[in-house]
Amino acid sequence: MSVPARSLPLLLGLLACGCPVSAMATWSIVACDPDGSCGVAVATHNLAVGASVPAAQARVGALASQFETRPAHGPQGLAALARGQEPSAALAGLIAADDGEDGDARDRQIGLVAADGASAAYTGSHAQGATWAGALQGEGFSVQGNGLVGPRVLEEMRARFLATTGALDVRLMAALEAGQAAGGQRIGAMSAALLVRTPEGGWADVDLRVDASPEPVRELRALLDRRQAHQGMILAERLSARGDRVGAEREVMAALARSHDWDRIWRRAARLAMQQGERALAIERLAVFQRLNPVWAREELRDPLYAGLADEKRVAGWR
């Protein structure tokens, strides 16, 4: 059955909701860092949570609209924050303006944080009935969820977020994992997402989604690891170009450890070793690359960069 294009936003909104009748639920964290980065980490037992629940804008704030998701809450709430409204006032405006499309204010759970660190949350009466439901706020963040195994889910998310150091994406991911480890939703999870908008924008932003998986939080972590591996290889290449081979190798090793056997990372590591004149190390890394993607490895070895390996019998078998 085909779905009209005009119906897709509504369909995605329904997919991400946490209606008690259909036994759906969600848990999330919204947060901003002093550098102006703002983001959301969220998981749910439904398809494609990242398509409709999270919203964020650098130097403005972040919002999660869940249980009976209303995608319009994201841009509306961020616009209110951008106009200078406090999160509590912006939240009150969203609830007051709820016209009952796809449920009403009783069916909403919203977490909202501003770039200055103020936060607020709302859980409607119907959402409160999805045992267990609630929210916790602190300076720069709010955690909220419904249909959870208990309050410990949010308590552990808060504790992990506050105890974790590093960039906002790392801290949000750690909080989501803590919620999963504490039991998450009573019925499990199906999708997860991590969204961070940074002042730099572009490639500095993070927008990772696992739309359908038996273990979405674990797979989201793997996606973030791979992203960090890619960034690490870029840094390694820059360090090598500046003559810092020790620093470059340190970054390469860290990237390979996070790669989850991503063939692209092993390829770049092999190329960097060749550029540095490390033939044995290049062959070692090429061996892994060839195992992961023999077709691409065959094409890669046609590059003149590898002319110095023409006499290597082991490499000849990969050509």
Side-chain angles (χ1 to χ4, degrees):
M1 179 182 70
S2 63
V3 179
R6 65 180 180 274
S7 299
L8 287 177
L10 173 59
L11 176 60
L12 290 172
L14 290 173
L15 286 173
C17 82
C19 314
V21 174
S22 50
M24 302 169 190
T26 309
W27 79 98
S28 65
I29 175 170
V30 297
C32 289
D33 265 359
D35 70 356
S37 298
C38 295
V40 184
V42 57
T44 192
H45 192 287
N46 212 334
L47 289 172
V49 68
S52 57
V53 167
Q57 184 176 342
R59 296 194 176 100
V60 174
L63 181 148
S65 174
Q66 55 198 46
F67 192 72
E68 189 72 52
T69 296
R70 188 167 189 185
H73 280 160
Q76 290 170 354
L78 293 177
L81 293 178
R83 291 193 299 268
Q85 288 190 9
E86 289 294 316
S88 57
L91 190 53
L94 292 177
I95 298 306
D98 199 320
D99 60 9
E101 182 181 355
D102 304 329
D104 57 34
R106 297 171 297 176
D107 303 302
R108 315 300 185 197
Q109 185 174 52
I110 305 170
L112 182 62
V113 63
D116 66 4
S119 60
Y122 167 85
T123 303
S125 59
H126 290 176
Q128 291 175 11
T131 306
W132 186 86
L136 296 171
Q137 289 83 50
E139 179 67 22
F141 73 92
S142 176
V143 292
Q144 47 280 320
N146 55 81
L148 306 181
V149 298
R152 185 167 174 264
V153 174
L154 301 186
E155 292 166 358
E156 291 296 317
M157 291 177 70
R158 176 179 61 184
R160 182 71 61 83
F161 180 75
L162 293 174
T164 303
T165 59
L168 185 58
D169 57 345
V170 173
R171 300 173 68 203
L172 290 173
M173 187 70 236
L176 197 67
E177 289 176 316
Q180 177 69 75
Q185 297 173 230
R186 291 178 294 108
I187 60 173
M190 186 176 188
S191 67
L194 176 63
L195 174 67
V196 176
R197 299 299 183 193
T198 65
E200 298 83 1
W203 293 115
D205 287 0
V206 180
D207 191 354
L208 302 174
R209 305 178 184 185
V210 177
D211 286 344
S213 167
E215 297 184 76
V217 175
R218 180 183 63 81
E219 291 198 16
L220 188 65
R221 162 57 72 180
L223 288 178
L224 181 59
D225 285 348
R226 291 185 182 104
R227 183 182 188 277
Q228 292 174 325
H230 182 261
Q231 292 175 314
M233 281 306 308
I234 293 173
L235 177 56
E237 290 159 358
R238 290 173 178 170
L239 290 172
S240 179
R242 295 200 294 261
D244 185 358
R245 296 182 62 166
V246 173
E249 184 61 15
R250 181 178 63 248
E251 293 298 329
V252 169
M253 294 304 294
L256 292 175
R258 296 190 186 106
S259 71
H260 294 265
D261 272 348
W262 187 7
D263 54 4
R264 186 174 298 268
I265 301 302
W266 283 96
R267 170 184 174 269
R268 292 179 75 153
R271 293 184 68 87
L272 186 58
M274 283 299 297
Q275 291 164 1
Q276 294 175 338
E278 299 284 350
R279 283 168 48 108
L281 185 58
I283 292 172
E284 177 185 323
R285 291 169 178 171
L286 279 170
V288 179
F289 176 52
Q290 193 275 338
R291 173 178 59 81
L292 296 172
N293 195 330
V295 173
W296 194 3
R298 191 176 304 115
E299 294 179 0
E300 176 72 7
L301 287 168
R302 297 189 185 120
D303 192 305
L305 176 66
Y306 299 100
L309 302 182
D311 59 344
E312 293 285 346
K313 293 183 179 180
R314 185 182 184 190
V315 175
W318 301 335
R319 294 182 186 274

